[in-house]
mmCIF file of all heavy atoms in Angstrom:
data_model
loop_
_atom_site.group_PDB
_atom_site.id
_atom_site.type_symbol
_atom_site.label_atom_id
_atom_site.label_comp_id
_atom_site.label_asym_id
_atom_site.label_seq_id
_atom_site.Cartn_x
_atom_site.Cartn_y
_atom_site.Cartn_z
ATOM 1 N N LYS B 123 42.829 21.554 24.506
ATOM 2 C CA LYS B 123 44.024 21.933 25.250
ATOM 3 C C LYS B 123 43.621 22.779 26.443
ATOM 4 O O LYS B 123 42.605 23.463 26.402
ATOM 5 C CB LYS B 123 44.939 22.806 24.380
ATOM 6 C CG LYS B 123 45.744 22.063 23.343
ATOM 7 C CD LYS B 123 46.754 23.032 22.714
ATOM 8 C CE LYS B 123 47.636 22.311 21.711
ATOM 9 N NZ LYS B 123 46.873 21.891 20.513
ATOM 10 N N ALA B 124 44.445 22.732 27.475
ATOM 11 C CA ALA B 124 44.222 23.639 28.598
ATOM 12 C C ALA B 124 45.520 24.394 28.855
ATOM 13 O O ALA B 124 46.616 23.852 28.657
ATOM 14 C CB ALA B 124 43.796 22.866 29.823
ATOM 15 N N PHE B 125 45.391 25.608 29.248
ATOM 16 C CA PHE B 125 46.553 26.438 29.576
ATOM 17 C C PHE B 125 46.411 26.882 31.022
ATOM 18 O O PHE B 125 45.312 27.217 31.462
ATOM 19 C CB PHE B 125 46.608 27.667 28.666
ATOM 20 C CG PHE B 125 46.780 27.312 27.216
ATOM 21 C CD1 PHE B 125 45.673 27.040 26.424
ATOM 22 C CD2 PHE B 125 48.045 27.236 26.649
ATOM 23 C CE1 PHE B 125 45.818 26.696 25.086
ATOM 24 C CE2 PHE B 125 48.196 26.891 25.309
ATOM 25 C CZ PHE B 125 47.085 26.628 24.527
ATOM 26 N N SER B 126 47.513 26.866 31.735
ATOM 27 C CA SER B 126 47.443 27.409 33.088
ATOM 28 C C SER B 126 48.417 28.577 33.189
ATOM 29 O O SER B 126 49.543 28.430 33.632
ATOM 30 C CB SER B 126 47.758 26.331 34.125
ATOM 31 O OG SER B 126 49.069 25.865 33.927
ATOM 32 N N PRO B 127 47.968 29.717 32.710
ATOM 33 C CA PRO B 127 48.822 30.900 32.702
ATOM 34 C C PRO B 127 48.832 31.596 34.062
ATOM 35 O O PRO B 127 47.940 31.360 34.877
ATOM 36 C CB PRO B 127 48.166 31.786 31.654
ATOM 37 C CG PRO B 127 46.722 31.412 31.695
ATOM 38 C CD PRO B 127 46.633 29.992 32.155
ATOM 39 N N LYS B 128 49.836 32.415 34.265
ATOM 40 C CA LYS B 128 49.838 33.228 35.485
ATOM 41 C C LYS B 128 48.987 34.478 35.272
ATOM 42 O O LYS B 128 48.454 35.042 36.212
ATOM 43 C CB LYS B 128 51.271 33.609 35.855
ATOM 44 C CG LYS B 128 52.111 32.382 36.213
ATOM 45 C CD LYS B 128 53.453 32.803 36.790
ATOM 46 C CE LYS B 128 54.260 31.573 37.175
ATOM 47 N NZ LYS B 128 55.439 31.395 36.293
ATOM 48 N N ALA B 129 48.914 34.907 34.019
ATOM 49 C CA ALA B 129 48.064 36.067 33.692
ATOM 50 C C ALA B 129 47.462 35.854 32.317
ATOM 51 O O ALA B 129 48.056 35.189 31.463
ATOM 52 C CB ALA B 129 48.884 37.352 33.721
ATOM 53 N N VAL B 130 46.269 36.407 32.129
ATOM 54 C CA VAL B 130 45.558 36.291 30.851
ATOM 55 C C VAL B 130 45.272 37.694 30.332
ATOM 56 O O VAL B 130 44.889 38.577 31.107
ATOM 57 C CB VAL B 130 44.227 35.520 31.037
ATOM 58 C CG1 VAL B 130 43.390 35.549 29.765
ATOM 59 C CG2 VAL B 130 44.488 34.082 31.477
ATOM 60 N N VAL B 131 45.483 37.889 29.041
ATOM 61 C CA VAL B 131 45.027 39.139 28.418
ATOM 62 C C VAL B 131 43.881 38.786 27.474
ATOM 63 O O VAL B 131 44.070 38.047 26.502
ATOM 64 C CB VAL B 131 46.146 39.868 27.638
ATOM 65 C CG1 VAL B 131 45.609 41.173 27.047
ATOM 66 C CG2 VAL B 131 47.348 40.133 28.533
ATOM 67 N N TRP B 132 42.708 39.290 27.783
ATOM 68 C CA TRP B 132 41.529 39.079 26.949
ATOM 69 C C TRP B 132 41.527 40.180 25.888
ATOM 70 O O TRP B 132 41.502 41.369 26.221
ATOM 71 C CB TRP B 132 40.270 39.136 27.819
ATOM 72 C CG TRP B 132 38.994 38.957 27.068
ATOM 73 C CD1 TRP B 132 38.057 39.903 26.797
ATOM 74 C CD2 TRP B 132 38.511 37.738 26.489
ATOM 75 N NE1 TRP B 132 37.021 39.351 26.093
ATOM 76 C CE2 TRP B 132 37.274 38.032 25.881
ATOM 77 C CE3 TRP B 132 39.016 36.430 26.417
ATOM 78 C CZ2 TRP B 132 36.530 37.068 25.211
ATOM 79 C CZ3 TRP B 132 38.262 35.471 25.752
ATOM 80 C CH2 TRP B 132 37.034 35.789 25.156
ATOM 81 N N ALA B 133 41.604 39.793 24.625
ATOM 82 C CA ALA B 133 41.695 40.786 23.540
ATOM 83 C C ALA B 133 40.846 40.305 22.375
ATOM 84 O O ALA B 133 41.309 40.181 21.243
ATOM 85 C CB ALA B 133 43.155 40.967 23.122
ATOM 86 N N ALA B 134 39.577 40.004 22.668
ATOM 87 C CA ALA B 134 38.711 39.343 21.689
ATOM 88 C C ALA B 134 37.952 40.302 20.787
ATOM 89 O O ALA B 134 37.166 39.859 19.952
ATOM 90 C CB ALA B 134 37.729 38.433 22.427
ATOM 91 N N GLY B 135 38.197 41.609 20.945
ATOM 92 C CA GLY B 135 37.544 42.542 20.032
ATOM 93 C C GLY B 135 36.067 42.715 20.304
ATOM 94 O O GLY B 135 35.579 42.477 21.407
ATOM 95 N N ALA B 136 35.353 43.100 19.265
ATOM 96 C CA ALA B 136 33.929 43.407 19.418
ATOM 97 C C ALA B 136 33.149 42.662 18.362
ATOM 98 O O ALA B 136 33.691 42.238 17.347
ATOM 99 C CB ALA B 136 33.699 44.902 19.284
ATOM 100 N N ARG B 137 31.858 42.482 18.643
ATOM 101 C CA ARG B 137 30.967 41.946 17.621
ATOM 102 C C ARG B 137 30.044 43.049 17.164
ATOM 103 O O ARG B 137 29.889 44.062 17.848
ATOM 104 C CB ARG B 137 30.207 40.741 18.172
ATOM 105 C CG ARG B 137 29.188 41.080 19.230
ATOM 106 C CD ARG B 137 28.678 39.820 19.932
ATOM 107 N NE ARG B 137 28.462 40.080 21.345
ATOM 108 C CZ ARG B 137 27.303 40.460 21.872
ATOM 109 N NH1 ARG B 137 26.263 40.628 21.108
ATOM 110 N NH2 ARG B 137 27.190 40.696 23.149
ATOM 111 N N GLU B 138 29.398 42.828 16.028
ATOM 112 C CA GLU B 138 28.502 43.850 15.496
ATOM 113 C C GLU B 138 27.104 43.651 16.049
ATOM 114 O O GLU B 138 26.639 42.527 16.203
ATOM 115 C CB GLU B 138 28.457 43.757 13.975
ATOM 116 C CG GLU B 138 29.763 44.100 13.335
ATOM 117 C CD GLU B 138 29.672 43.925 11.844
ATOM 118 O OE1 GLU B 138 29.779 42.795 11.376
ATOM 119 O OE2 GLU B 138 29.482 44.934 11.160
ATOM 120 N N ARG B 139 26.454 44.759 16.309
ATOM 121 C CA ARG B 139 25.058 44.676 16.736
ATOM 122 C C ARG B 139 24.252 44.141 15.550
ATOM 123 O O ARG B 139 24.309 44.698 14.457
ATOM 124 C CB ARG B 139 24.588 46.078 17.106
ATOM 125 C CG ARG B 139 23.394 46.102 17.977
ATOM 126 C CD ARG B 139 23.313 47.476 18.656
ATOM 127 N NE ARG B 139 21.943 47.721 19.021
ATOM 128 C CZ ARG B 139 21.285 48.834 18.715
ATOM 129 N NH1 ARG B 139 21.882 49.812 18.066
ATOM 130 N NH2 ARG B 139 20.045 48.978 19.081
ATOM 131 N N PRO B 140 23.506 43.060 15.758
ATOM 132 C CA PRO B 140 22.841 42.456 14.603
ATOM 133 C C PRO B 140 21.530 43.155 14.239
ATOM 134 O O PRO B 140 20.956 43.896 15.040
ATOM 135 C CB PRO B 140 22.582 41.020 15.059
ATOM 136 C CG PRO B 140 22.467 41.106 16.541
ATOM 137 C CD PRO B 140 23.332 42.262 16.980
ATOM 138 N N PHE B 141 21.056 42.861 13.044
ATOM 139 C CA PHE B 141 19.796 43.407 12.535
ATOM 140 C C PHE B 141 18.660 43.147 13.520
ATOM 141 O O PHE B 141 17.861 44.042 13.809
ATOM 142 C CB PHE B 141 19.492 42.760 11.182
ATOM 143 C CG PHE B 141 18.133 43.091 10.639
ATOM 144 C CD1 PHE B 141 17.886 44.330 10.081
ATOM 145 C CD2 PHE B 141 17.093 42.171 10.699
ATOM 146 C CE1 PHE B 141 16.627 44.646 9.580
ATOM 147 C CE2 PHE B 141 15.839 42.471 10.215
ATOM 148 C CZ PHE B 141 15.606 43.720 9.649
ATOM 149 N N GLY B 142 18.594 41.936 14.029
ATOM 150 C CA GLY B 142 17.485 41.547 14.901
ATOM 151 C C GLY B 142 17.377 42.425 16.128
ATOM 152 O O GLY B 142 16.294 42.642 16.653
ATOM 153 N N ALA B 143 18.510 42.928 16.604
ATOM 154 C CA ALA B 143 18.514 43.737 17.820
ATOM 155 C C ALA B 143 17.790 45.063 17.607
ATOM 156 O O ALA B 143 17.387 45.713 18.566
ATOM 157 C CB ALA B 143 19.949 43.993 18.266
ATOM 158 N N LEU B 144 17.644 45.476 16.342
ATOM 159 C CA LEU B 144 17.016 46.770 16.069
ATOM 160 C C LEU B 144 15.492 46.666 16.068
ATOM 161 O O LEU B 144 14.802 47.678 16.081
ATOM 162 C CB LEU B 144 17.472 47.296 14.706
ATOM 163 C CG LEU B 144 18.989 47.342 14.505
ATOM 164 C CD1 LEU B 144 19.310 47.867 13.105
ATOM 165 C CD2 LEU B 144 19.635 48.229 15.552
#
Side-chain angles (χ1 to χ4, degrees):
Chain B
K123 283 189 177 69
F125 297 87
S126 62
K128 295 189 179 111
V130 172
V131 181
W132 179 252
R137 69 192 143 93
E138 294 177 280
R139 200 161 156 231
F141 172 76
L144 307 179

